[in-house]
Amino acid sequence: MLSQLTKNLIELERDKVLSEVKERLIQGEDPMRMIEECKEGMALVGEKYKIKEYFLAELMLSGDLFKEAMELIDPYLGENTAESDIKGKIILVTIKGDIHDLGKNVLGTLLKLEGFKIYDLGVDVNPDILVEKVKEIQPDFLGFSSLLTVTFDPMKEVIDKLKQAGLRDKLKIMVGGGITTPLVKDYIGADFQTIDAMEGVQYCLEYIKAKVLVKAKGGI
Ligand code: B12
């Protein structure tokens, strides 16, 4: 059953959504639950768009509303980590042709809270510029956020170019976003795929933990 928050987001009831989020935050509710309910609402807005019950205007309104709700939730998510305790570097990006960024922003916030340094390169990023940034930043992870099928080839292009430059094996590559599947991961040549930001955070934490263990045993 849909929560009231999810229903109000689908109906684009801005005031009701924002006042409910404020109220529940004050009452000390887990902010992650509200993020999940809003995410569910966004997926259903997408369904309405698909069947032409909603149009671009509604997509845009829902995007703005989600952003406003996140702005309220952000301060309740926790403290950021000190620079000296950084667990690893992560580039997050939405590739050429795609300007969706809400999921990427949620993921960035959660990773930051877990102690990762985030290099958010934004949206509609050119593959060659991204390859240069990977060379420059040398991140532990590259995370693609993808909401449009037209991004599959440019993401594959980046990974192919990283292979040619001998950089592919120096980092783990994740792909996420509502339309991605394990098949997309295999097609582009990534290491991990999810449609759940928390699973992405878990993947990064586990990989870093394993890397630290290997180092401690005298590997790498
Ligand atoms: C809001 C929205 C918009 C907003 C975006 C606002 C913004 N700033 O992002 C606007 C209005 C701009 C928009 C535009 C368009 N959109 Co739009 N949009 C959506 C909608 C409704 C919600 C997306 C969203 O933000 N969800 C909420 C977030 C939180 O969820 P999420 O992205 O999945 O992220 C979560 C996880 O996946 C994960 N995650 C995300 N990224 C990553 C990355 C990694 C590494 C990891 C580990 C995890 C992770 O973390 C998040 C939290 O768990 C979707 C519907 C849907 N089903 O997704 C359509 C949808 C994505 N849009 C669609 C379309 C067609 C368009 C347009 C082409 C419409 C048009 N005719 O112009 C344009 C494209 C513009 C462009 N060039 O990019 C289609 C895509 C179809 C396809 N298969 O390619 C969808 C699926 C709607 C539909 N059902 O047809 N859109």
Side-chain angles (χ1 to χ4, degrees):
M1 216 183 73
L2 299 182
S3 73
Q4 197 55 49
L5 182 57
T6 306
K7 281 188 202 155
N8 284 336
L9 195 139
I10 300 167
E11 296 304 321
L12 305 170
E13 293 276 7
R14 180 176 176 275
D15 293 348
K16 288 186 187 163
V17 166
L18 299 181
S19 59
E20 181 175 341
V21 168
K22 273 184 209 155
E23 186 56 34
R24 285 169 63 179
L25 285 168
I26 290 168
Q27 287 179 2
E29 207 182 297
D30 179 5
M32 284 310 295
R33 193 154 148 205
M34 282 174 264
I35 295 179
E36 278 309 311
E37 287 174 28
C38 289
K39 186 182 147 193
E40 193 181 356
M42 296 300 276
L44 292 165
V45 167
E47 289 307 310
K48 283 184 181 285
Y49 176 78
K50 210 154 111 188
I51 60 170
K52 298 194 166 42
E53 195 181 316
Y54 275 1
F55 297 93
L56 192 56
E58 283 86 1
L59 278 194
M60 289 167 79
L61 283 173
S62 70
D64 290 345
L65 185 48
F66 184 91
K67 253 189 191 154
E68 283 189 88
M70 275 306 295
E71 276 163 18
L72 291 176
I73 291 172
D74 247 13
Y76 288 80
L77 283 170
E79 295 294 319
N80 285 338
T81 314
E83 194 74 14
S84 55
D85 295 329
I86 293 295
K87 291 199 178 85
K89 294 190 279 184
I90 306 186
I91 291 184
L92 294 182
V93 68
T94 302
I95 204 75
K96 190 173 80 178
D98 190 353
I99 60 163
H100 294 84
D101 66 356
L102 303 177
K104 171 174 68 56
N105 298 344
V106 170
L107 176 70
T109 303
L110 298 178
L111 285 167
K112 234 187 266 171
L113 292 170
E114 285 297 339
F116 291 95
K117 182 156 177 76
I118 304 303
Y119 297 82
D120 187 339
L121 302 188
V123 298
D124 196 22
V125 172
N126 177 288
D128 289 322
I129 292 179
L130 176 54
V131 171
E132 285 311 308
K133 282 286 176 190
V134 171
K135 285 183 189 162
E136 180 192 320
I137 295 168
Q138 301 185 13
D140 302 283
F141 302 92
L142 166 60
F144 287 110
S145 186
S146 160
L147 271 299
L148 293 181
T149 43
V150 293
T151 60
F152 300 165
D153 283 318
M155 290 191 293
K156 184 176 182 332
E157 182 187 334
V158 170
I159 298 180
D160 288 344
K161 284 186 170 160
L162 290 175
K163 277 184 197 152
Q164 284 159 20
L167 295 170
R168 171 65 185 93
D169 295 334
K170 296 193 191 315
L171 76 169
K172 288 289 173 193
I173 302 183
M174 311 181 279
V175 60
I179 60 142
T180 63
T181 63
L183 279 179
V184 173
K185 177 201 82 160
D186 293 341
Y187 176 71
I188 69 171
D191 300 299
F192 177 76
Q193 178 275 332
T194 180
I195 53 165
D196 179 345
M198 281 315 290
E199 283 183 14
V201 172
Q202 213 46 45
Y203 173 77
C204 295
L205 286 171
E206 276 163 23
Y207 176 71
I208 291 293
K209 205 166 129 194
K211 210 168 148 182
V212 169
L213 277 178
V214 171
K215 250 190 192 163
K217 285 184 180 161
I220 313 179

